[in-house]
Amino acid sequence: MCGIVAYKGQKDCFPILLDGLKKLEYRGYDSAGVACLVNNKIDITKRAGKVKELERAIAGKKSSKNCNGLGIAHTRWATHGEPNQKNAHPHSDESKKITLVHNGIIENYDPIKKFLRSKKIKFKSDTDTEVLVQLIGYFYNKGMLSFEQSVRAALQRVDGAYGIVILNTDFPDMMIAARKGSPLVVGIKDGEFFIGSDVSPIVKHTQKIIYLNDSEMAVIDGTNYEIKSVDKDVSLPKKVEKIDYKIDDFDKGKFKYFMHKEIHEQVTTIHNTLKGRSTKSSVLLHGLSEYWEEIKAAEKIYITACGTSWHAGLIGKNLIERFAEVPVHVEYASEFRYNHSIMDNKTIVIAISQSGETADTLAAISKANDFGAITIGICNVAGSSVSRETNCGIHTRCGHEIGVASTKAFTSQISILYLFALKLADSRKRITKTDMKKHLEMISDVHQKDIKSVLKKEKSIKKMAKKYQNASDFLYLGRGLNFPVALEGALKLKEISYIHAEGYPAAEMKHGPIALVDKNMPNVFIVPKDKTYDKIISNIEEIKSRKGKIIIVTDSKDKILRDLSDDLILLPKTNQYMFVMLATIALQLFSYFIAVAKGCDVDQPRNLAKSVTVE
Ligand code: F6R
């Protein structure tokens, strides 16, 4: 949550920082602020709301032409204190010498604040962040500790998570960054330094990156830098990595919203996820090779994740149990981390995460590691914390996902889980060579034309969406592999259009939710022509007889479905695995067009952030 960008070099900071904030806005957009060193004083500008408000404020300032090449900036997702200007970052200590931006939560802010108040230090905001900067200032201003020592002393006293970048007017050529629990990366380019809470504000300037680990700090002084430990004053060896993100990844192209672009990208992203990962007779997942003997002997698998990634986990459970016959438990990471799960070194824990930085998922991994389980990460961001903290893993390779609502990451996660289930089944001799071949043929022919044909239905889906834009509640109903698709359809709708929606197994609807149904209630049924078909028809009849509106997503041309439905999205005929993808894409478009029709901010829905890096 929250985005940090910082610059140290010779150029004017403002354009670099504002551009960086725009790239990071997907992490939170409650307020934005910048602090730069101007004539050896800290010049702070902050505004409630989005980066464009800050940009307007800066455009009207004289100082914007006069910045010495040292600046920090932040876009906020509010945790402690309302999302107003007073609570916006950066925050300074009382002496105004020390200023910082912070991601994460300082959990013991209350006793520290009481202590600092007892020393007559006054606070201006309601944030936990101000407590941290005041604590650094308290140590520094006593005159006993250097700048770096003061940062270290304060960080050793705080509990919780932080990614911070700090300036001190006494050291106009210096910048310190530190992390614990909240990611920070440092970009390096011939005497210039760029710091970001991820690579998005950096890649335009340099592809040479250092990923800070927990309890590490970067001390930048002039054109030199050192990576050190937060715990003691020692230098740490550090590898500079070369990343290959394309700048295009961060542009909307011809689309108005990233979400729309990302839905369309699935024509290629699913293909990219699967590419090179199978032969005609076997699945290759090189990222798991080192641990495959243990994985194949697993007695139990946990899948843990949050939100959309958790829905992918439910599909994974179905596939793994079906093909490989290993029991799979799927748990929300926020629950898993505190549950009494029974794990040992014969347990596999698969953590799924688009961002690779979700705090609950990371805590779940850490718990599994402590139990000695083998941890596997299925993650989209190479170099992210999930990739680094699991024993082994597979990248989904679907490119940067910027729209807050996850779309292309979900279909890529399912693709990986499909491959994993087949590989496990093969190693455990639970699948015949002929069946394996059939699945792999399906995988190699990734049905790009089928995805395209769903995308071509945009116009009719848009028309349908307009018809339902004023509904206040929706039910999404599916069975088997398509129950998670129903959950995901409902989640997409509620997060971007603010319409209440619930996903249910189609038959379970009788056990309560049916009480909600009346003539105004749209019910979205996901109906593949498979063994559940007849049963779902009965479920549709049950709703129809209560006058509920029926929307059907199907690959069947049967007349009965047309007769039963108020609206119908007909998908191309493929197979049950591809159906899941196609139905998901159709429902993503449906939610998208409802949200657009309602005038919602699709890429940045209220109260949300892309990367949930707090518990
Ligand atoms: C929904 C959505 C969230 C994320 C969840 C987990 O559209 O984006 O529910 O899926 O916050 O995020 P990752 O996958 O980054 O761990």
mmCIF file with all atom_site columns, all heavy atoms in Angstrom, residues 1-2 26-28 77 103 183 197-198 353-359 381 402 404 608-614:
data_model
loop_
_atom_site.group_PDB
_atom_site.id
_atom_site.type_symbol
_atom_site.label_atom_id
_atom_site.label_alt_id
_atom_site.label_comp_id
_atom_site.label_asym_id
_atom_site.label_entity_id
_atom_site.label_seq_id
_atom_site.pdbx_PDB_ins_code
_atom_site.Cartn_x
_atom_site.Cartn_y
_atom_site.Cartn_z
_atom_site.occupancy
_atom_site.B_iso_or_equiv
_atom_site.pdbx_formal_charge
_atom_site.auth_seq_id
_atom_site.auth_comp_id
_atom_site.auth_asym_id
_atom_site.auth_atom_id
_atom_site.pdbx_PDB_model_num
ATOM 1   N N   . MET A 1 1   ? 0.853   -1.172  0.000   1.00 0.00 ? 1   MET A N   1
ATOM 2   C CA  . MET A 1 1   ? 0.000   0.000   0.000   1.00 0.00 ? 1   MET A CA  1
ATOM 3   C C   . MET A 1 1   ? 0.890   1.223   0.000   1.00 0.00 ? 1   MET A C   1
ATOM 4   O O   . MET A 1 1   ? 1.926   1.192   0.611   1.00 0.00 ? 1   MET A O   1
ATOM 5   C CB  . MET A 1 1   ? -0.717  0.129   1.314   1.00 0.00 ? 1   MET A CB  1
ATOM 6   C CG  . MET A 1 1   ? -1.913  -0.531  1.665   1.00 0.00 ? 1   MET A CG  1
ATOM 7   S SD  . MET A 1 1   ? -2.617  -1.852  0.954   1.00 0.00 ? 1   MET A SD  1
ATOM 8   C CE  . MET A 1 1   ? -4.285  -1.401  1.026   1.00 0.00 ? 1   MET A CE  1
ATOM 9   N N   . CYS A 1 2   ? 0.458   2.291   -0.553  1.00 0.00 ? 2   CYS A N   1
ATOM 10  C CA  . CYS A 1 2   ? 1.217   3.527   -0.637  1.00 0.00 ? 2   CYS A CA  1
ATOM 11  C C   . CYS A 1 2   ? 2.391   3.335   -1.606  1.00 0.00 ? 2   CYS A C   1
ATOM 12  O O   . CYS A 1 2   ? 2.942   2.248   -1.722  1.00 0.00 ? 2   CYS A O   1
ATOM 13  C CB  . CYS A 1 2   ? 1.787   3.984   0.697   1.00 0.00 ? 2   CYS A CB  1
ATOM 14  S SG  . CYS A 1 2   ? 0.556   4.209   1.971   1.00 0.00 ? 2   CYS A SG  1
ATOM 15  N N   . TYR A 1 26  ? -1.436  3.420   -8.456  1.00 0.00 ? 26  TYR A N   1
ATOM 16  C CA  . TYR A 1 26  ? -2.269  2.237   -8.275  1.00 0.00 ? 26  TYR A CA  1
ATOM 17  C C   . TYR A 1 26  ? -2.132  1.657   -6.866  1.00 0.00 ? 26  TYR A C   1
ATOM 18  O O   . TYR A 1 26  ? -2.937  0.868   -6.418  1.00 0.00 ? 26  TYR A O   1
ATOM 19  C CB  . TYR A 1 26  ? -1.934  1.187   -9.344  1.00 0.00 ? 26  TYR A CB  1
ATOM 20  C CG  . TYR A 1 26  ? -0.612  0.492   -9.152  1.00 0.00 ? 26  TYR A CG  1
ATOM 21  C CD1 . TYR A 1 26  ? -0.535  -0.686  -8.432  1.00 0.00 ? 26  TYR A CD1 1
ATOM 22  C CD2 . TYR A 1 26  ? 0.563   1.006   -9.694  1.00 0.00 ? 26  TYR A CD2 1
ATOM 23  C CE1 . TYR A 1 26  ? 0.665   -1.328  -8.250  1.00 0.00 ? 26  TYR A CE1 1
ATOM 24  C CE2 . TYR A 1 26  ? 1.765   0.372   -9.525  1.00 0.00 ? 26  TYR A CE2 1
ATOM 25  C CZ  . TYR A 1 26  ? 1.808   -0.793  -8.799  1.00 0.00 ? 26  TYR A CZ  1
ATOM 26  O OH  . TYR A 1 26  ? 3.008   -1.415  -8.614  1.00 0.00 ? 26  TYR A OH  1
ATOM 27  N N   . ARG A 1 27  ? -1.102  2.077   -6.130  1.00 0.00 ? 27  ARG A N   1
ATOM 28  C CA  . ARG A 1 27  ? -0.891  1.532   -4.785  1.00 0.00 ? 27  ARG A CA  1
ATOM 29  C C   . ARG A 1 27  ? -1.669  2.293   -3.724  1.00 0.00 ? 27  ARG A C   1
ATOM 30  O O   . ARG A 1 27  ? -1.677  1.895   -2.545  1.00 0.00 ? 27  ARG A O   1
ATOM 31  C CB  . ARG A 1 27  ? 0.603   1.593   -4.431  1.00 0.00 ? 27  ARG A CB  1
ATOM 32  C CG  . ARG A 1 27  ? 1.469   0.800   -5.383  1.00 0.00 ? 27  ARG A CG  1
ATOM 33  C CD  . ARG A 1 27  ? 2.922   1.036   -5.073  1.00 0.00 ? 27  ARG A CD  1
ATOM 34  N NE  . ARG A 1 27  ? 3.295   0.429   -3.821  1.00 0.00 ? 27  ARG A NE  1
ATOM 35  C CZ  . ARG A 1 27  ? 3.947   -0.715  -3.706  1.00 0.00 ? 27  ARG A CZ  1
ATOM 36  N NH1 . ARG A 1 27  ? 4.302   -1.368  -4.771  1.00 0.00 ? 27  ARG A NH1 1
ATOM 37  N NH2 . ARG A 1 27  ? 4.243   -1.182  -2.528  1.00 0.00 ? 27  ARG A NH2 1
ATOM 38  N N   . GLY A 1 28  ? -2.275  3.384   -4.099  1.00 0.00 ? 28  GLY A N   1
ATOM 39  C CA  . GLY A 1 28  ? -3.034  4.188   -3.139  1.00 0.00 ? 28  GLY A CA  1
ATOM 40  C C   . GLY A 1 28  ? -3.169  5.582   -3.694  1.00 0.00 ? 28  GLY A C   1
ATOM 41  O O   . GLY A 1 28  ? -2.250  6.075   -4.356  1.00 0.00 ? 28  GLY A O   1
ATOM 42  N N   . TRP A 1 77  ? -2.265  5.403   0.826   1.00 0.00 ? 77  TRP A N   1
ATOM 43  C CA  . TRP A 1 77  ? -3.489  4.658   1.108   1.00 0.00 ? 77  TRP A CA  1
ATOM 44  C C   . TRP A 1 77  ? -3.623  4.719   2.624   1.00 0.00 ? 77  TRP A C   1
ATOM 45  O O   . TRP A 1 77  ? -2.803  4.158   3.347   1.00 0.00 ? 77  TRP A O   1
ATOM 46  C CB  . TRP A 1 77  ? -3.365  3.207   0.630   1.00 0.00 ? 77  TRP A CB  1
ATOM 47  C CG  . TRP A 1 77  ? -4.647  2.446   0.760   1.00 0.00 ? 77  TRP A CG  1
ATOM 48  C CD1 . TRP A 1 77  ? -5.693  2.426   -0.120  1.00 0.00 ? 77  TRP A CD1 1
ATOM 49  C CD2 . TRP A 1 77  ? -5.030  1.580   1.842   1.00 0.00 ? 77  TRP A CD2 1
ATOM 50  N NE1 . TRP A 1 77  ? -6.692  1.623   0.341   1.00 0.00 ? 77  TRP A NE1 1
ATOM 51  C CE2 . TRP A 1 77  ? -6.319  1.090   1.539   1.00 0.00 ? 77  TRP A CE2 1
ATOM 52  C CE3 . TRP A 1 77  ? -4.431  1.189   3.032   1.00 0.00 ? 77  TRP A CE3 1
ATOM 53  C CZ2 . TRP A 1 77  ? -7.016  0.211   2.385   1.00 0.00 ? 77  TRP A CZ2 1
ATOM 54  C CZ3 . TRP A 1 77  ? -5.110  0.320   3.868   1.00 0.00 ? 77  TRP A CZ3 1
ATOM 55  C CH2 . TRP A 1 77  ? -6.385  -0.171  3.548   1.00 0.00 ? 77  TRP A CH2 1
ATOM 56  N N   . ASN A 1 103 ? 5.965   3.682   3.900   1.00 0.00 ? 103 ASN A N   1
ATOM 57  C CA  . ASN A 1 103 ? 4.944   2.666   3.597   1.00 0.00 ? 103 ASN A CA  1
ATOM 58  C C   . ASN A 1 103 ? 4.935   1.695   4.759   1.00 0.00 ? 103 ASN A C   1
ATOM 59  O O   . ASN A 1 103 ? 5.999   1.366   5.295   1.00 0.00 ? 103 ASN A O   1
ATOM 60  C CB  . ASN A 1 103 ? 5.333   1.838   2.370   1.00 0.00 ? 103 ASN A CB  1
ATOM 61  C CG  . ASN A 1 103 ? 5.085   2.585   1.091   1.00 0.00 ? 103 ASN A CG  1
ATOM 62  O OD1 . ASN A 1 103 ? 4.596   3.702   1.104   1.00 0.00 ? 103 ASN A OD1 1
ATOM 63  N ND2 . ASN A 1 103 ? 5.443   1.949   -0.010  1.00 0.00 ? 103 ASN A ND2 1
ATOM 64  N N   . PRO A 1 183 ? 8.348   -3.373  0.621   1.00 0.00 ? 183 PRO A N   1
ATOM 65  C CA  . PRO A 1 183 ? 9.443   -3.415  -0.337  1.00 0.00 ? 183 PRO A CA  1
ATOM 66  C C   . PRO A 1 183 ? 10.006  -2.054  -0.738  1.00 0.00 ? 183 PRO A C   1
ATOM 67  O O   . PRO A 1 183 ? 9.289   -1.059  -0.755  1.00 0.00 ? 183 PRO A O   1
ATOM 68  C CB  . PRO A 1 183 ? 8.807   -4.081  -1.553  1.00 0.00 ? 183 PRO A CB  1
ATOM 69  C CG  . PRO A 1 183 ? 7.353   -3.956  -1.371  1.00 0.00 ? 183 PRO A CG  1
ATOM 70  C CD  . PRO A 1 183 ? 7.078   -3.860  0.076   1.00 0.00 ? 183 PRO A CD  1
ATOM 71  N N   . SER A 1 197 ? 9.007   2.118   -4.341  1.00 0.00 ? 197 SER A N   1
ATOM 72  C CA  . SER A 1 197 ? 8.431   0.985   -3.618  1.00 0.00 ? 197 SER A CA  1
ATOM 73  C C   . SER A 1 197 ? 8.246   -0.185  -4.572  1.00 0.00 ? 197 SER A C   1
ATOM 74  O O   . SER A 1 197 ? 7.974   -1.300  -4.150  1.00 0.00 ? 197 SER A O   1
ATOM 75  C CB  . SER A 1 197 ? 7.124   1.367   -2.939  1.00 0.00 ? 197 SER A CB  1
ATOM 76  O OG  . SER A 1 197 ? 6.409   2.264   -3.729  1.00 0.00 ? 197 SER A OG  1
ATOM 77  N N   . ASP A 1 198 ? 8.346   0.052   -5.867  1.00 0.00 ? 198 ASP A N   1
ATOM 78  C CA  . ASP A 1 198 ? 8.562   -1.022  -6.833  1.00 0.00 ? 198 ASP A CA  1
ATOM 79  C C   . ASP A 1 198 ? 9.307   -0.415  -8.016  1.00 0.00 ? 198 ASP A C   1
ATOM 80  O O   . ASP A 1 198 ? 9.666   0.770   -7.981  1.00 0.00 ? 198 ASP A O   1
ATOM 81  C CB  . ASP A 1 198 ? 7.246   -1.724  -7.229  1.00 0.00 ? 198 ASP A CB  1
ATOM 82  C CG  . ASP A 1 198 ? 6.269   -0.800  -7.943  1.00 0.00 ? 198 ASP A CG  1
ATOM 83  O OD1 . ASP A 1 198 ? 6.711   0.008   -8.765  1.00 0.00 ? 198 ASP A OD1 1
ATOM 84  O OD2 . ASP A 1 198 ? 5.061   -0.897  -7.681  1.00 0.00 ? 198 ASP A OD2 1
ATOM 85  N N   . SER A 1 353 ? 0.239   -15.083 -5.688  1.00 0.00 ? 353 SER A N   1
ATOM 86  C CA  . SER A 1 353 ? 0.141   -13.633 -5.530  1.00 0.00 ? 353 SER A CA  1
ATOM 87  C C   . SER A 1 353 ? 0.564   -12.936 -6.821  1.00 0.00 ? 353 SER A C   1
ATOM 88  O O   . SER A 1 353 ? 1.622   -13.247 -7.366  1.00 0.00 ? 353 SER A O   1
ATOM 89  C CB  . SER A 1 353 ? 1.058   -13.178 -4.388  1.00 0.00 ? 353 SER A CB  1
ATOM 90  O OG  . SER A 1 353 ? 1.075   -11.781 -4.301  1.00 0.00 ? 353 SER A OG  1
ATOM 91  N N   . GLN A 1 354 ? -0.246  -12.045 -7.295  1.00 0.00 ? 354 GLN A N   1
ATOM 92  C CA  . GLN A 1 354 ? 0.138   -11.254 -8.469  1.00 0.00 ? 354 GLN A CA  1
ATOM 93  C C   . GLN A 1 354 ? 1.332   -10.382 -8.115  1.00 0.00 ? 354 GLN A C   1
ATOM 94  O O   . GLN A 1 354 ? 2.373   -10.441 -8.748  1.00 0.00 ? 354 GLN A O   1
ATOM 95  C CB  . GLN A 1 354 ? -1.058  -10.404 -8.928  1.00 0.00 ? 354 GLN A CB  1
ATOM 96  C CG  . GLN A 1 354 ? -0.870  -9.625  -10.220 1.00 0.00 ? 354 GLN A CG  1
ATOM 97  C CD  . GLN A 1 354 ? 0.045   -8.434  -10.126 1.00 0.00 ? 354 GLN A CD  1
ATOM 98  O OE1 . GLN A 1 354 ? 0.986   -8.305  -10.916 1.00 0.00 ? 354 GLN A OE1 1
ATOM 99  N NE2 . GLN A 1 354 ? -0.168  -7.563  -9.174  1.00 0.00 ? 354 GLN A NE2 1
ATOM 100 N N   . SER A 1 355 ? 1.152   -9.565  -7.081  1.00 0.00 ? 355 SER A N   1
ATOM 101 C CA  . SER A 1 355 ? 2.172   -8.562  -6.745  1.00 0.00 ? 355 SER A CA  1
ATOM 102 C C   . SER A 1 355 ? 3.410   -9.170  -6.106  1.00 0.00 ? 355 SER A C   1
ATOM 103 O O   . SER A 1 355 ? 4.501   -8.648  -6.232  1.00 0.00 ? 355 SER A O   1
ATOM 104 C CB  . SER A 1 355 ? 1.584   -7.551  -5.763  1.00 0.00 ? 355 SER A CB  1
ATOM 105 O OG  . SER A 1 355 ? 1.209   -8.210  -4.563  1.00 0.00 ? 355 SER A OG  1
ATOM 106 N N   . GLY A 1 356 ? 3.198   -10.262 -5.371  1.00 0.00 ? 356 GLY A N   1
ATOM 107 C CA  . GLY A 1 356 ? 4.305   -10.850 -4.619  1.00 0.00 ? 356 GLY A CA  1
ATOM 108 C C   . GLY A 1 356 ? 4.636   -10.064 -3.367  1.00 0.00 ? 356 GLY A C   1
ATOM 109 O O   . GLY A 1 356 ? 5.650   -10.326 -2.715  1.00 0.00 ? 356 GLY A O   1
ATOM 110 N N   . GLU A 1 357 ? 3.792   -9.094  -3.005  1.00 0.00 ? 357 GLU A N   1
ATOM 111 C CA  . GLU A 1 357 ? 4.095   -8.264  -1.835  1.00 0.00 ? 357 GLU A CA  1
ATOM 112 C C   . GLU A 1 357 ? 2.950   -8.242  -0.830  1.00 0.00 ? 357 GLU A C   1
ATOM 113 O O   . GLU A 1 357 ? 2.991   -7.459  0.115   1.00 0.00 ? 357 GLU A O   1
ATOM 114 C CB  . GLU A 1 357 ? 4.403   -6.822  -2.269  1.00 0.00 ? 357 GLU A CB  1
ATOM 115 C CG  . GLU A 1 357 ? 5.566   -6.673  -3.228  1.00 0.00 ? 357 GLU A CG  1
ATOM 116 C CD  . GLU A 1 357 ? 6.912   -7.118  -2.670  1.00 0.00 ? 357 GLU A CD  1
ATOM 117 O OE1 . GLU A 1 357 ? 7.016   -7.332  -1.435  1.00 0.00 ? 357 GLU A OE1 1
ATOM 118 O OE2 . GLU A 1 357 ? 7.860   -7.287  -3.460  1.00 0.00 ? 357 GLU A OE2 1
ATOM 119 N N   . THR A 1 358 ? 1.920   -9.047  -1.014  1.00 0.00 ? 358 THR A N   1
ATOM 120 C CA  . THR A 1 358 ? 0.762   -9.013  -0.118  1.00 0.00 ? 358 THR A CA  1
ATOM 121 C C   . THR A 1 358 ? 1.184   -9.462  1.281   1.00 0.00 ? 358 THR A C   1
ATOM 122 O O   . THR A 1 358 ? 1.703   -10.574 1.458   1.00 0.00 ? 358 THR A O   1
ATOM 123 C CB  . THR A 1 358 ? -0.355  -9.907  -0.703  1.00 0.00 ? 358 THR A CB  1
ATOM 124 O OG1 . THR A 1 358 ? -0.664  -9.413  -1.994  1.00 0.00 ? 358 THR A OG1 1
ATOM 125 C CG2 . THR A 1 358 ? -1.595  -9.900  0.165   1.00 0.00 ? 358 THR A CG2 1
ATOM 126 N N   . ALA A 1 359 ? 0.938   -8.600  2.251   1.00 0.00 ? 359 ALA A N   1
ATOM 127 C CA  . ALA A 1 359 ? 1.481   -8.838  3.597   1.00 0.00 ? 359 ALA A CA  1
ATOM 128 C C   . ALA A 1 359 ? 0.987   -10.159 4.191   1.00 0.00 ? 359 ALA A C   1
ATOM 129 O O   . ALA A 1 359 ? 1.775   -10.925 4.755   1.00 0.00 ? 359 ALA A O   1
ATOM 130 C CB  . ALA A 1 359 ? 1.100   -7.676  4.507   1.00 0.00 ? 359 ALA A CB  1
ATOM 131 N N   . VAL A 1 381 ? 5.498   -11.050 -10.205 1.00 0.00 ? 381 VAL A N   1
ATOM 132 C CA  . VAL A 1 381 ? 6.572   -10.049 -10.178 1.00 0.00 ? 381 VAL A CA  1
ATOM 133 C C   . VAL A 1 381 ? 7.897   -10.717 -9.792  1.00 0.00 ? 381 VAL A C   1
ATOM 134 O O   . VAL A 1 381 ? 8.088   -11.123 -8.635  1.00 0.00 ? 381 VAL A O   1
ATOM 135 C CB  . VAL A 1 381 ? 6.226   -8.894  -9.214  1.00 0.00 ? 381 VAL A CB  1
ATOM 136 C CG1 . VAL A 1 381 ? 7.334   -7.846  -9.221  1.00 0.00 ? 381 VAL A CG1 1
ATOM 137 C CG2 . VAL A 1 381 ? 4.899   -8.250  -9.614  1.00 0.00 ? 381 VAL A CG2 1
ATOM 138 N N   . ILE A 1 402 ? -1.618  -3.191  -13.802 1.00 0.00 ? 402 ILE A N   1
ATOM 139 C CA  . ILE A 1 402 ? -1.742  -1.885  -13.162 1.00 0.00 ? 402 ILE A CA  1
ATOM 140 C C   . ILE A 1 402 ? -3.153  -1.593  -12.675 1.00 0.00 ? 402 ILE A C   1
ATOM 141 O O   . ILE A 1 402 ? -3.344  -1.048  -11.594 1.00 0.00 ? 402 ILE A O   1
ATOM 142 C CB  . ILE A 1 402 ? -1.245  -0.771  -14.122 1.00 0.00 ? 402 ILE A CB  1
ATOM 143 C CG1 . ILE A 1 402 ? 0.253   -0.967  -14.334 1.00 0.00 ? 402 ILE A CG1 1
ATOM 144 C CG2 . ILE A 1 402 ? -1.524  0.625   -13.549 1.00 0.00 ? 402 ILE A CG2 1
ATOM 145 C CD1 . ILE A 1 402 ? 0.915   0.009   -15.241 1.00 0.00 ? 402 ILE A CD1 1
ATOM 146 N N   . VAL A 1 404 ? -6.319  -1.760  -10.687 1.00 0.00 ? 404 VAL A N   1
ATOM 147 C CA  . VAL A 1 404 ? -6.398  -2.303  -9.323  1.00 0.00 ? 404 VAL A CA  1
ATOM 148 C C   . VAL A 1 404 ? -7.122  -3.654  -9.326  1.00 0.00 ? 404 VAL A C   1
ATOM 149 O O   . VAL A 1 404 ? -6.746  -4.577  -8.607  1.00 0.00 ? 404 VAL A O   1
ATOM 150 C CB  . VAL A 1 404 ? -7.052  -1.266  -8.381  1.00 0.00 ? 404 VAL A CB  1
ATOM 151 C CG1 . VAL A 1 404 ? -7.512  -1.918  -7.090  1.00 0.00 ? 404 VAL A CG1 1
ATOM 152 C CG2 . VAL A 1 404 ? -6.055  -0.157  -8.071  1.00 0.00 ? 404 VAL A CG2 1
ATOM 153 N N   . LEU A 1 608 ? -9.602  1.208   -2.361  1.00 0.00 ? 608 LEU A N   1
ATOM 154 C CA  . LEU A 1 608 ? -8.740  0.056   -2.672  1.00 0.00 ? 608 LEU A CA  1
ATOM 155 C C   . LEU A 1 608 ? -7.318  0.495   -3.012  1.00 0.00 ? 608 LEU A C   1
ATOM 156 O O   . LEU A 1 608 ? -7.054  1.668   -3.231  1.00 0.00 ? 608 LEU A O   1
ATOM 157 C CB  . LEU A 1 608 ? -9.300  -0.722  -3.866  1.00 0.00 ? 608 LEU A CB  1
ATOM 158 C CG  . LEU A 1 608 ? -10.658 -1.383  -3.680  1.00 0.00 ? 608 LEU A CG  1
ATOM 159 C CD1 . LEU A 1 608 ? -11.061 -2.113  -4.943  1.00 0.00 ? 608 LEU A CD1 1
ATOM 160 C CD2 . LEU A 1 608 ? -10.620 -2.370  -2.520  1.00 0.00 ? 608 LEU A CD2 1
ATOM 161 N N   . ALA A 1 609 ? -6.443  -0.465  -3.063  1.00 0.00 ? 609 ALA A N   1
ATOM 162 C CA  . ALA A 1 609 ? -5.081  -0.253  -3.566  1.00 0.00 ? 609 ALA A CA  1
ATOM 163 C C   . ALA A 1 609 ? -4.646  -1.565  -4.197  1.00 0.00 ? 609 ALA A C   1
ATOM 164 O O   . ALA A 1 609 ? -5.173  -2.626  -3.860  1.00 0.00 ? 609 ALA A O   1
ATOM 165 C CB  . ALA A 1 609 ? -4.142  0.126   -2.440  1.00 0.00 ? 609 ALA A CB  1
ATOM 166 N N   . LYS A 1 610 ? -3.727  -1.492  -5.100  1.00 0.00 ? 610 LYS A N   1
ATOM 167 C CA  . LYS A 1 610 ? -3.336  -2.687  -5.845  1.00 0.00 ? 610 LYS A CA  1
ATOM 168 C C   . LYS A 1 610 ? -2.564  -3.673  -4.983  1.00 0.00 ? 610 LYS A C   1
ATOM 169 O O   . LYS A 1 610 ? -2.769  -4.869  -5.069  1.00 0.00 ? 610 LYS A O   1
ATOM 170 C CB  . LYS A 1 610 ? -2.479  -2.255  -7.036  1.00 0.00 ? 610 LYS A CB  1
ATOM 171 C CG  . LYS A 1 610 ? -2.014  -3.377  -7.921  1.00 0.00 ? 610 LYS A CG  1
ATOM 172 C CD  . LYS A 1 610 ? -3.134  -3.843  -8.794  1.00 0.00 ? 610 LYS A CD  1
ATOM 173 C CE  . LYS A 1 610 ? -2.735  -5.000  -9.687  1.00 0.00 ? 610 LYS A CE  1
ATOM 174 N NZ  . LYS A 1 610 ? -3.946  -5.747  -10.080 1.00 0.00 ? 610 LYS A NZ  1
ATOM 175 N N   . SER A 1 611 ? -1.679  -3.135  -4.182  1.00 0.00 ? 611 SER A N   1
ATOM 176 C CA  . SER A 1 611 ? -0.765  -4.012  -3.479  1.00 0.00 ? 611 SER A CA  1
ATOM 177 C C   . SER A 1 611 ? -1.026  -3.844  -1.976  1.00 0.00 ? 611 SER A C   1
ATOM 178 O O   . SER A 1 611 ? -0.783  -2.773  -1.433  1.00 0.00 ? 611 SER A O   1
ATOM 179 C CB  . SER A 1 611 ? 0.640   -3.564  -3.867  1.00 0.00 ? 611 SER A CB  1
ATOM 180 O OG  . SER A 1 611 ? 1.572   -4.469  -3.456  1.00 0.00 ? 611 SER A OG  1
ATOM 181 N N   . VAL A 1 612 ? -1.564  -4.887  -1.353  1.00 0.00 ? 612 VAL A N   1
ATOM 182 C CA  . VAL A 1 612 ? -2.006  -4.736  0.038   1.00 0.00 ? 612 VAL A CA  1
ATOM 183 C C   . VAL A 1 612 ? -0.866  -5.145  0.971   1.00 0.00 ? 612 VAL A C   1
ATOM 184 O O   . VAL A 1 612 ? -0.768  -6.290  1.404   1.00 0.00 ? 612 VAL A O   1
ATOM 185 C CB  . VAL A 1 612 ? -3.299  -5.538  0.303   1.00 0.00 ? 612 VAL A CB  1
ATOM 186 C CG1 . VAL A 1 612 ? -3.815  -5.282  1.702   1.00 0.00 ? 612 VAL A CG1 1
ATOM 187 C CG2 . VAL A 1 612 ? -4.364  -5.129  -0.704  1.00 0.00 ? 612 VAL A CG2 1
ATOM 188 N N   . THR A 1 613 ? -0.004  -4.196  1.261   1.00 0.00 ? 613 THR A N   1
ATOM 189 C CA  . THR A 1 613 ? 1.223   -4.517  1.986   1.00 0.00 ? 613 THR A CA  1
ATOM 190 C C   . THR A 1 613 ? 1.095   -4.271  3.486   1.00 0.00 ? 613 THR A C   1
ATOM 191 O O   . THR A 1 613 ? 2.092   -4.201  4.184   1.00 0.00 ? 613 THR A O   1
ATOM 192 C CB  . THR A 1 613 ? 2.412   -3.720  1.418   1.00 0.00 ? 613 THR A CB  1
ATOM 193 O OG1 . THR A 1 613 ? 2.064   -2.337  1.433   1.00 0.00 ? 613 THR A OG1 1
ATOM 194 C CG2 . THR A 1 613 ? 2.735   -4.125  -0.002  1.00 0.00 ? 613 THR A CG2 1
ATOM 195 N N   . VAL A 1 614 ? -0.153  -4.117  3.949   1.00 0.00 ? 614 VAL A N   1
ATOM 196 C CA  . VAL A 1 614 ? -0.361  -4.072  5.400   1.00 0.00 ? 614 VAL A CA  1
ATOM 197 C C   . VAL A 1 614 ? -1.305  -5.193  5.794   1.00 0.00 ? 614 VAL A C   1
ATOM 198 O O   . VAL A 1 614 ? -2.093  -5.666  4.989   1.00 0.00 ? 614 VAL A O   1
ATOM 199 C CB  . VAL A 1 614 ? -0.936  -2.716  5.876   1.00 0.00 ? 614 VAL A CB  1
ATOM 200 C CG1 . VAL A 1 614 ? 0.086   -1.613  5.721   1.00 0.00 ? 614 VAL A CG1 1
ATOM 201 C CG2 . VAL A 1 614 ? -2.220  -2.368  5.142   1.00 0.00 ? 614 VAL A CG2 1
#
